[in-house]
Structures are given as C-alpha cells and as structure tokens.
Amino acid sequence: WGDDAATIEQQILSQNKLHSSIQRSHEVDHARDELVRTIELTITGAPWSGNIKMSFARTGQLRELQNIIEEISRAIMWVNEREEEELVFNWGDKNIDVYIPKKQESYSKLMSALEEKEKELNKLKQKVDGLLKNNHPASDKIEAYMDTLQTQWSWLLQITKCIHVHLKENAAYSQFFKEANETYSKLQKDHEIIRKKFTCDKGTPLENLTELLKNLEREKERVMENKRQVKHLVNKSKSIVRLRPRNPEEKSSTAVIVQALCDFKQDQKGILKGDEGILKDNSQRSKWQVTGPGGLDMLIPSVCLLIPPLNPLSIGLANKNEQYYEAIMGIWNQLYINIKSLISWQYCVKDINHINSLTLTMMRPEEYRNIIKSLETHYQEFLRNSHGSEMFGEDEKKKMEGQYSGAQSHYDTLVIGLPTYSDFLDGLTPSLSTLQTASQMFIEGMFHLCEMVVVCCGVVCCFTVERSCLLKWFCNVVSVCMCSLGRLSYLQNLLQSLIQAEDVIKVLEARLTEKETTSLDLNELERYRATLKQMKSDLEHKRDLLTAMESDLANAVHVNSQISASLHKCDVDLSKYSELVTQMSDRWRRIQTQIDSRVWDLEKQEKQLRHFQQSSGVVDQWIDNARQRQDTLQTAKFSNIQAVMEHLNQQKVLHSEIKGKKEKVEDVQKDADTCAASIKDYELQLASYSAGLETLLNIPIKRTMLQSPATVVRQEGADLQSRYIELLTRSSDYYKFLGEMLKNMEELKTSMIVQKSQTHYTEILSDRDALLIKLKQLEQDKSHQGHYKEELNRIKVSLETELRNKQRLQEERDKMQKDFTYWKSQYELKETQMRQSDSDKGKMERERLSLKSELERMIVELRTVEERYKGRLQSSEREVSDLALKRDALEKELRRRQQRPDSMSIQTQTDEKVVTVDPSKLVFDGVRRKVTAHQLCDCGIISKATLEHLLKGKRTVEDVANDIQLSLKGTGVIAGMVRGPQGRMSITEAKTKNLLSKESALMLLEAQAATGHIMDPKFNEKMSVDAASSRGVVDTDDRDALMTAEAASAGFKDPYTGKLLSIGQALKLKRLDKETALRLLQAQESVGGILDPVLSVFLPKDLALDRNLIDEDLYRALNKKPACYLDPVTEKKISYSDLMLKCRIEPASGMLLLSAPEKPMTVQGLRGEVSVTELINSNLLSETDVQKLNQGKLSSKDIEDKLKNYLHGSNCIAGIYDEANNRAMTFYQAMKDGLLRQGTTLELLEAQAASGFMIDPVNNVCLTVDEAWKRGLVGKEFKDKLMSAERAVTGYKDPHTGKTISLFQAIEKDLIEKGHGIRLLEAQIASGGIIDPKESHRIDVDIAYKRGYFDEEMNEILSYEGDDTKGFFDPNTQENLTYLQLKERCITDPKTGLVLLPLRDKTKPQQTVQQSSQNTILRKRRVVIVDPDTGIEMTVREAYHKELIDYDTFLSLSEQECEWEEITITASDGSARLVVVDRKTGTQYDIQDSLDRGIIDQTSLEQYRSGTLTLPQFADLITSNSNLSELTMTARNMEDVATCSSPPQARPSSPTVRKRFNNISIIFSPPEEFDEGSPVAAIFDTETMEKITIPEALRRGLVDAITAQRLLEAQACTGGIINPTNGQRLNLQDAVHQSIIDNDMATKLKPAQKAFMGFEDMKTKRKMSAAEAMKEKWLPYEAGQRFLEFQYLTGGLLEPGTGQQTSIEEAIRRGWLDGRGAQKLQDTRSHAKNLTCPKTKLKISYKEAMDSCMVEEGKGMKMLQASSISTKGISSPYNVSNPGSRSGSRTGSRTGSRSGSRRGSVDYSSSYSSFTTSSSNTFSSN
C-alpha cells in the first residue's frame, strides 16, 4: 500500500490493468469456454470468481485509501498554511498601533475558521474510524496520516494560545505607551501653566499675591490628580513585556531572556510552558535560536516565545513621568514659598512704615501694644517664610532686620515719651541733661552703669518720691546686668562644648555611613567588628563632653530664671540651646546604639556564614563525586540480562544515595535563606540609619550601588539546588530506563520461547492435517483415475491441436510486432538523429561563431601584447644602453677619484648631489580631473615610501599609475548591450529596441554617470551627460536624472559654502533620496570604490567612511549588498556587482556588455501578444508546461487552446434566443424588433464589451466595438457608450500619470461611476475572470489582488447579492438580477456553444406568479445626468452642484429616483406585515394600512398581485394618493423655532416642499422637559422640510460619512437601529432588510451592536459589556470609549444580554470602570468632538448633538437639523458644491449656466426613456 497520493494513484492504475486483464483476456475466455464444455467448473470456477472478487475488493480499498489520504492531506495542508501565516508574523513594536486591531480581527476570524474546521475534522475522524473498524488493509498508513493531522492540529491550537497571549500583552504594551505619552504631555502642559501663570515679584500688590496664593492652592489640587495616574503607570510598567528585542536589528548588550508560552519539543530537546531561556539569534523572523534549560541550544518558533518583563523602556518612561511630576510639585512648592514670603514681607513692610510714621500725638495707650505685637508676629512669619525663598537673599534679610530694629527703636522712643510720664519728665527738667548723659554711658557698657546710678541719685536727691523710684529702678538694672553676665558666661561654655561634641559625632557618623552592606569574607567581617569596638571605646572616653554640655545648659537656665519677668526685653531664648543639647545627646546615643547593634549582627552573621560555607562546600563536593559516578554508569555498555541487572543494582544504590541527600540540600538552601535574610536586615538597618541621619541633618549622603551579598548567597544556594535536581533527574530517568529495559528484555525472552513452542506445535498439527487430506484424496483419485485418464487423453489431443494453431498465430503476431517495433525504432532513430543533427548543427554554428570571435579577440590581444612587449623591449634596450653609459662614467669617475691625493679624499656625503623631482610634475589622471602624488598619499592610495621614490625619481608616474589603476580609473562600468549580428549598442538604443525597460535603462545610465562618464560602446568613448545628450547617446527626458547622478562623481555643490559634497554628504542635506544614493554608491563600489568628488579617485569603503564621504548607515547598507538594479532578462532585482558578472567582456576594448535577452515566446491574447513569462507569473502556466514548450512537446497553439478562456473570447451572454421564432439574434436586433428595452439592451451590450469582445451569435464571431458597429451589430446611439465600456479591456488612462489602469482602479479614481463600474466588473468575473489591460488576458482573483486590480471590499460587494450588484434586468420575470444569476437562466446554443438569453413565448401560458415571489423583487428607477462637454455621467445631486440644473429640477428629479422593494417585516405585536420600501430613502408604506386608510383600493392591489401593475407603478400610486401627515415638533431654543417656522426665502421651493411646510408645527419647550434617554433617531432636512433617515442624509450630502456612522453607532450600541417611520428598534439584519441602512454600513456597525448584545469571551463563553471588552483588549480603546459615552448619555452603561442600564457607581463596583474612567465619562465637557454638526458644520460632541435636537411629538424621536449650507457661514467639509457657488445660487433658473446640458432618465422597470438633449431653460421654474 502506497505512502503518498502519487504512489496510490500508480497502484490504482496497475490494479485497473490487472483487473482488465483478468476480465477481458480473450485467450482465457476461450480456454474457459472449452473447459465448460468438457468438464464441470468444480476445479476452475471457484478460483476464477475468487480472483475477480479479490480484484474488485482491492480496487475499492485503493479508492478508499486514495480518497481518505487526499482528504487528510488537504486538511494537513490547510493547517500548515494557517500555521505558516502565524509563524512569520512579526510581533515586534513596529506599527503596533496599526497591526494590533487588524490582528485581533484576523485572530477572531481564525478562531471561527478553526471552529468550522473542527466540525469537518470530526466528520473526517468518523470516516477514518469506520475504515479502521472494517480492518482496512492499509490501516497503518491511514493511522499515520491521521496522527500527523492530529499532531499538526494540536500544534496549531497551541499557537492560537500563544497568539492570544501576544495580543493581550502587545495591546497592554501599546496602551501603556499611549497613556504614558499622554500623561507626559499633560504634565508638560501643567508645567507650562504653572510657569507662565504664577509669576510675581516685590512690586506685585498684596491683593494680587493673595489671589495668586489661592489660585496656586487650587492648581495643586488639579496637579495632584496626576499622582494616581503616575503611580498607576509606575506599577504597570513592571508588567510590560519587551518588544524591541524581537527585531533582529535591535542589538542588546546583555543577554535577552525569553519565556515559553507553550510546550515545544525538538528532537530530544524541549522546553516547557513557563520555562525561560536565553535568546541567541533572532535573525529569522519565524524561528529563534534559544539556549533552553540545561544549556541546550534549539530553534523555537518565535510565536511561542515572549520576552517577559521587566521592560527598561516602560520603566524608564514611567520613572520619567514620576520624576517630572515630582519636579512640578517641587516647582509648586518653590512658588508657594516665594508667594508666602512676599506676602509676609508686604505685611512686615506695611507695619514698619506704619510705626515709622507714628508720633507721640498719634499714639493711644490702648493700641500701642497691638502695634508692636503685630510687627513682631509678621516679622517672625517673614523669617519663617523667607527660609528657602528665591525672592530674598541674605543681604535683603539683613536689610529687613535693620528696618525691623529701626522700627523697634522708634517704637521704644515713642513708648518712653507717652503722656502718662509727661508730668514726671517736667519735674526732671533740671536734671534732663544729666539723665541723657547717664543713658549714653549706660549704652557704652554695663560697668559704667553703677557710676551713672550714683550721679543720677545725687542729682535727684532733692526730689524724695522721684528719687526712691529711680533708685529702685537702677538697682533692678544692676541686678539684671550681673545675671546677664553670668548667663553669657555659661552660654559661652555651652557653645564650646557643643562644638567639640559635634566634631566627635560627625566623625563617627561619617564612619558609620561608609558601609552600605556587609561582606562574605570572614576575615573582613572580623576586622570591621574590631573597628566598631574601637569606635565604641573612643566614644566612652569622650563622655565628659556630653556631661559638661548638659551642666552648662542647666546653669544658664538657672541664672535666666532669676531675671524679673517684667524685664522681658532682657530675656534670652534658651529653648534653641536646649534643642541643640537634646539633639546632640540623641545623636550620641544613636551612635552608641548603632555600634552595639552592628557588632551583635556581625557576630550572628559570622556564625551563619561560616556554617553555610562549610555545609555548602560538603554538598558541592558530594554532587561532583556523584555526577562522576553517574556519568560512569551511563557510559557503560552491556549485552545480556545479567549485565543489565547488575547495572540496575548499582544505579539503584546511587539513586537511593542521591535521594537521601535531599534533606541535606534543603538544609543548605535554608541556611542560605537565613544568611541572606540576616544580610538583608543588616543592610536595611544601615540604610535606615543613613536615611534618618540624612533627614535629621538635611544633608544628602552619597550612596554607592553595590550588589548585595545576599543575592550572591541566594544564587549559590539556588545553583546548588539546581545542580542537585539535575543530578536527581538524571539518576531517576536512567534508573527508570534500566528498569524498562530489563522488563522488556525479560518479556522478549519469555515471548520468544512461547512463540517458538507455539510455532512448532502448529507446524506439527498442519502436517498431520495435510497427510490426512492427502490420504483421502488419494483414495478418491484412485477410483476416478481410469475414467479421467480416458477423458484427459481425448482432451489432450484436442488441446494439442488447438495449441499448435495458437502457437502459429502467436508466431505470426510476434513477427508482425517485431517488424512494427523495428520500423518504429528505425523511425525514432532517424527522427532523433535529425533532431540531434539540427541541434549539433546549431551548436556547431554557435561554437564556430564563438571560436571565430575568440580567435579574433586572441589575435587582437596577441597584437596588443606583441606591441606592448616590443615597446618594453625597446625601452629595456634603451635602459641597458643608458646603464652601460652610466657604468662607464662611474668607472671613469672612480678611477679619477682613486688617482686624487689623499688629502682630497676627506669629503662628506653632503657633497654628493641628490636628484629630486618637481612635485608639481607628479600628477596622475583621476576619474574626471588631475590628482597630485601628495593628495594620493594623504588619502592613503600610495604609501609614503612610494611618494619618496617618486620625488627622488626612483619610480615614474606611469609605473605607479599601473599599480593604482583601480583607484584612478576603476575596473569599468557596464557600457552597453550586445546582441548577435547587431553588435554593440548603447543603453538608450537597447531601450528603444525594447531590449531594456525604461526603468532598468535609466538605472544603468545613472550608474555610468555616477562612476565618471556616459559610455558610447560603439566608439568606446567616454563623455559627460551634456555631451551625451547632444549626441543622442542618452534621451533628453533622462537628462535631469543623469545630471544628478553625474554630480555623484563630479560633486554636489553646497549652495552656502560652494564646496563639493559627496553622495553621503548630499544625502544629509536632502539633495537626493536614500534609495538613489544607495544605488549610485553600489555602482561606484562595484567599479572601484567610493568616488571622492574632490580628489576624483575611488577610495575603499572603510577609507571613505573615515573621510566622512559616507556615514555609518550607508556603510551598513552597502555591506548588505541590496538588490538595487533590474536584471534585463528576468526583470528581477539584482545588485550591480552580480549584474556585472553576467556581462561579457569584449576582447578588443575590454568593455563590459550585457547580453540582450532572447525574444520571449508569445501567444495571442485579447488585444495583443502575451509572453509565456507573463502567463507563468499569472499562475496560468506551470514550469512543466514551459519545459514541454522548450522541448517541442507543446506548441503555442496548444497553449492557446488550453488557456482559451483566459486569452480569447469569453463565455458572456452572447445574444437572445427567441422561443417564439426559434432563432438566435443579437441584442440590438432584439431591441429593434421590440423584444428588449433600450436600457436592458445597453446593459447587456456593455457587459459584452467589458468582457472582451462584441459577439455575433448568428455567425459565432468575436469583434471589437468598432468592428461590430461597422457590421451593424450595434447602433450609432450605443457606440460611444460601448467604446467606454470596452476600455475595461484595453485599459483606462490615468489623467494624472498617463498610465494605463484597470477597471477597478478607474472606479477607485472616480473615472467611471461606481454602480456602472460594478456592473462591468461583475460581468468580467462572471464571464471568465478579471481582465489585465496591460497584459491583455484574464487573471484569477488572487493575482488581481496582488496587482491591485481588485480588493476584498469590492469582492464583498460583488459577493453580496444586494441592490448594488443587481444591475441587470430579466425581461421574462421583470426582476433585477446579478449578471451571474442572469447567466444561470440562459441556455447554450448546441451549434455554436454560445450562451443565449431565452425570451419566452408570451402566447404560451406561463406559471402564475405566487405572492411570495414578490417579496424579493427589487425595482429601480435611476436618473443619470450627462455633462455635454465631457460626457461624464453623474448623479442628480452632482449635476446640481455643478450648476447643470436648478434647484427645482433637482428636487423634482430626486423625487423620481427610487429603488422600490416589497418585503415582509415583523410588527411590534409579532404579526407579519407586507411593506413597500424605497431603498434609497428608506421610505416605507404598509400595504394593509394603505388599504385600510383608503389610499389604495382592492382593485389596485389585485392588479399589482396579478402583475398588471409593476412595483414602481404600485408604489407611485400609494405615494401620489398619500396625504402628508402633520408633523409636530418640540424645540429647545427659539432660534430653532424661528429657523423651521419661517419658509426659506433665499430660494424657491417646490410644491412638495411648500406642502410639507404647511403640515409642520413647531412649539418651544424648556430643556428640562426633554427626555435625555434616547439617541438621535433621524435627520430633519431644513431645506425640504422633511424627516429623513441618517443614511438618506448621507446620500444627500447633508452629513458626512463619519458623522453618519457615529450617529448610527449610538443607536446600535444603545438598543438597535431606529426606524424613523414608527420608532421601532431593529437589529442590523432587520435594518438592512427594511432598507434603513445598507450592508456596507451594517458591517461597520457590528462592533457597536456587540456593545449592546455583549462581546463573547472565547474561553468562558461569557457575555462581556463594552467596558469589560475594552479591558480585555477585545475592543479598541477609541471605539470602546465612544460606545461608553453614547450609553452614558442615554441613561447608563448597558448590561449585555438584558439591556438593563447600570449606574456609574454600580459599574465601578463591578469592576467595569476605575475612578479615572468614571470621572472621564461624567465630565461631558471632555467628551470627544467627533461629529460635524449638519447645520453649523462645526465640530461637536454627541452630547451637544443631543442638546441641539428637536423632538417629534407623540413618538419622542430626536431629530438633528441639517442643511447643505452652514448657518454659521462656514463651508461644509464634505459639501461637493462648486467653490464659487453661494447659498443664493439656487434662486431662479440657470438659463445661462450651461447650454446644451443633457439629462438621461433610465427606468429599469416599467418603461425606458432615451437620452434627450435640450437647453437648460427646459428646467427653469415656471
């Protein structure tokens, strides 16, 4: 049984031959008949029938096997294709915002496809199980294929899980960076606001400062809102995966860790889900090389790998935001301090100025104390607030202190002179001068105070009362002075003690903050512990400093307490000294505590560390020993069971020992954890002490980031444990392996003995049975032997006779066969010899020509070499003669010198003459200019030694030039092309002869110009671009591009400096693009190097990089050898060096010439020749066909026959079959005979023209449109239209580029009306395939995708059998159909094979049309306007905007356009209702309701049912008899009431509009009475005064596409699409069915409907709300936020499934929203303005749209007002009107706008009207 489909197919063929030979062999049949006549079939019958049955059975089994293998293979291929698509997907960070939503959609489609495929595979599994159950002989093959399928299927499911993880993580990645960047932008904005808004200085008024302070505090609250988001981003950044390392070009300095998302096995290596590895190489997108667990390298699909957090980019960005936030808060704090200090300063200055302005007469006793108290309070506030303020420096503070002191002095002066003491002072007038003198002496010193007291007492002794008061006062002063002196002495001692104590403390604190961690070196631990003890000892010795400090403080406090409280001005604030002493004492005690704690911790660490090192060392040594023993056991070999048993026992002992060490290893791990925890605690203690000290002293302490020894300890423990686990795993696996091996060997031995015995016993029984049978047979044969003997003798004679005849016939047959074989072989031999002869002849001819050219080349070379060597020989002879002369001269000089006196022999070498060469003469010929030897040496082309030789004349310029020829001239560029007898030709000439494409030719010419010169290969000349252009070597059209390329060799001129720039330097200045620069540089490098335009020589690439001729990017790009040029033979991309290798070197000139491509084999296409290469590229021919074509086994005619449907005529509808007259006829003839309408005829003829040819169905001839017109197959009235349709075959011309484009591309560029183009495109596809106008043949859809002739959106339009594609009319049933549906109703002409549309004989009875058939009939009436100047078709609205018709005509024609359809809908009560719907406007009429209201009568309905009335006629009857119902609306503001209540005066209204206006009433209602719980339901057209659907408003151009989609999304996500007729909410399918929206819009609204119905979780199958779907990344953020806003504005977020509204608080409680998201929803002012107001044309939010709506009374539907002209005077962003037209341009007729404009009305139902031509005054209003 075969293993593959090909083998099985071969077996089926062989079996069929065998079966045929068994059934149909004449010889066997003849012999069998003879035997039947002679003897019974007891002997031969049974075997014969058995063979037949066996043959039948095997044939059936082979067929079953073939079918099942093919089915499984298709499934495997499908799975492999899906797998391949996912494996090559790039999950990097590039374009992540673009590919995430696309990938989410494709993933959803993939999961749906997997669900469907799973059903198919289950059916396939049932088939396989059935075959296996029936014991199919090839069960093993089927099982193998099925296992492969199951494996691949399981692998694909694993990949989908990985994709789910990638989608989730990458979406989180994208969302994080989006939020982080938004946060950073917001922080920047806040920073800018704070920086600009809060500025102040000393001149700022106090009131402004106070207001600034309040605003600053409010601003802080706003800035603080960012804190939660910043912290959220910091926390989230730690869970963001890394995407950049997935890109191969992203190089990382550290190892990249990857994590497996699923299990993966490769050979014997594998990695489990969650395991981590090290990424080694990710240059391949699909598979990465990873070092997995155990250090094994493997290739793993990249989709299975995730680069886990931490992501330095996300963490860095989050930290950046956090630092920015902290900086902003720092700026805020500084501003707050500045403003507070300014306010305090203002108050203080105000008090000082007030005090300084006071006099004794202004002072009142009750307020003088409040004045000085206010000053002191404000001054103290200033001192506090100015600390850290940028507004006040130290000088300003001292200045303020002086002003404060001055104000105090002034105040004291005033207080002393108060009126209460005036009498006393009057009595002291005689001694006033003495008191003043005493006061001055008191100020000079305390010691003079006593003398002043005595003098004062002597002066005032005469005054008794006054004297006693003065004496008492002076005694108090003396006492206070003495106490103050004592207090100052104690304070002085205290300060000295503080300084000494602080010095000691600072030294110790500095030493304690030096260490940030501990050490793993026990000796170092011991040394540091000794250091700590010494520090403690030093601290105890200096304890007396602390005691003295506390004693001095106590004495100062005691003395200070003795001073009277009334003398408050003498008080000294000792609290600050007390605080300093307390602080010093605390720091002293902290040092003591810290030293004691550290000593104790280090002692504990030393014990733990010593124990850990000892135990880990023992275990580590044991693991090494056990691993060696395990390796020894595993490398041992054994050959019998006994050896295996011994080996197993040894392994068992070792395994038991290893398992026994588990507790020991765990103890070591615990010791490591204990030791690490102790170290961490110690580090935390050190950090806490340093941090506390830093906070206390407000001094930053420098920290050095070191690796913690705890990490090293833990790592050692982990390594030890991993080594143990690895050893235990190896031991366990090997032990199990040995056990299984021993078990298998024992079972094998036992089974072999049993099988041997069983076989022996079976053989004995079979021998016994055989002997018994033989004995019975012998007995029977013996009795019949005599009878048979006689019969056999008679048969023998007869058979011998027959045999002789048969032999004779066979011999004659063999002889004839031999003769036939002989002559056949002779014929084949002769034919082969002839072909061989022809081939040899051609080969010999080619060889002769080649040898001839080679001989000519060798002769030329020989002559060149001969001349060269003759020249060198002559030069050598001259040099020899010169040398001989020089030798003779030197010998004479030598003899002369030898004859001189000895005194003359004392000469130095400086007297010798040195020959030098003028450097200006050492000039070399560069590429375009001369270059000196010094320049060549400077750039490194020649060495300094070579330069010295040149300067000294030892080497010539020519000699050196030969050595550096590559740098001076290069190797030569591709000069041209060579082709057979035509010889050499230039690149331009080859392009003219179509041997080179324009693009390829220009590239090759640019390469010539960039390497120095344009080449003329005919004359082997080099020239500039200008010279080449003037001589015709290059085209003038290419001159500009070649001038740019020439600048690459001559240099680009810098417009600012005038310097010459290289290509790389010009690229930086944007003088040329990178692609061109790279292409020119590659040509230069291939020729000799990078061309230096200044030196005009070629330099190596590395040297060019050093000289800044190119940069690093260009250097790396050149190293990759990109394919920048085109191969003229294959038209594929190729590098310039590879293209040079394909060139021929012409012997005589040495030029590189391309070989011209051979003329491709072609076949006849639709309009021209098609090359075989094009057919291969279009997947129409295979390589096998090409090989057969080259071998002569296949001709061009065979290819044309094989590809007839692609190359020639089509199977479109060719004509009409008239049943009444039994004849075939053309469409045009049928129209002339009254069998077809004009519109139908034109459609069918256009479909023919667009499908390739016009067809004559009578003569079976295919013609072009022009030929068909000349033969009278079409009329003149159709010729232009058909010529336009024929361009779908020949191609349309792009007016911008002039290139030929396809039908689909013409539709995209609006060169053809979309509906018309869709009809032609559908006709092409239905008649054989999309036509490639450039290549003149049909192509399949997949090729059309690649060439841009088709896309998925258009495919969906054509696949959907809706209104847009039903563009063809069935004249028999009056139905609109697609072209394919119409073809299915056609017949095939038996004579010609053409497809004909049958026209029924109306005289014969036809089947009555059932009522149900009406439900799917669509009738269209379209109006098309034709521009008389351009002939372009346009809609009515487009014609109006182009001023071809006036406004009244526009309204009239718009009302005539319709697409009527009868459908069945379900009413709200559940009953089925028949409705007539206009698909264009959404207008609906209930048939039963119209009948009940008397709009139509029963007779009209019966006429419609019987077919007498067509659907448009029936609909027109309803429309014309319907009275417009009154429309009552409620508006929020009076402006809307005024707008809609007054008729539009600026333009005339049609009667229909005036009628509508008379039936409209508008009332005003306050906003609070409006219902906010419903979305916008419809649009109110203020120009036509009617309520219309949103899609109809889009069609009229009143709203743009985005606004229309957003309004419909709001409906869909809040309950369903609203039917404006009755207010019913519909799902998308019903809304499409009722023509409220089209299918294209329904596709766009599916996510919005899911927001209402719920998103299904693929895993749990639970319905998720829109908010949950956003969190799970099932719904893009922008769309999800939009849906949430819609739901919130209409009542609340919706619970999926039930539609129940949920409050914001409940949504937060359920986890749908966070606080930030809820706040964003509630703040309606921040909602996105994603709508354009249809009335004002301004951007508005949905909330603003709801607020501006009017409400229809009774139904409660909101209607948004719309007009084509903005009410704000703003041009509509989507209005297609003429820019020059104004709102008033609608007034009146346009009699003079366009004379000769035409309009065409095509009625696709009841009648047709021809295109009429009239002047524009036909449409003027009357």
Side-chain angles (χ1 to χ4, degrees), residues 938-950:
D938 292 339
C939 66
I941 294 179
I942 63 174
S943 63
K944 292 184 177 180
T946 304
L947 179 62
E948 290 293 330
H949 290 166
L950 286 170

Side-chain angles (χ1 to χ4, degrees), residues 1450-1504:
F1450 159 69
L1451 290 179
S1452 175
L1453 294 179
S1454 296
E1455 291 171 358
Q1456 292 179 28
E1457 284 192 313
C1458 60
E1459 293 183 6
W1460 292 107
E1461 183 178 17
E1462 180 187 324
I1463 62 172
T1464 302
I1465 66 172
T1466 303
S1468 56
D1469 57 358
S1471 61
R1473 310 283 290 182
L1474 288 176
V1475 177
V1476 177
V1477 180
D1478 183 357
R1479 281 198 174 276
K1480 271 197 170 294
T1481 62
T1483 306
Q1484 296 182 359
Y1485 295 107
D1486 189 317
I1487 295 178
Q1488 187 61 44
D1489 181 63
S1490 299
L1491 187 64
D1492 296 340
R1493 291 167 54 193
I1495 296 175
I1496 58 173
D1497 53 17
Q1498 188 66 35
T1499 304
S1500 301
L1501 180 60
E1502 290 175 356
Q1503 289 177 347
Y1504 167 60

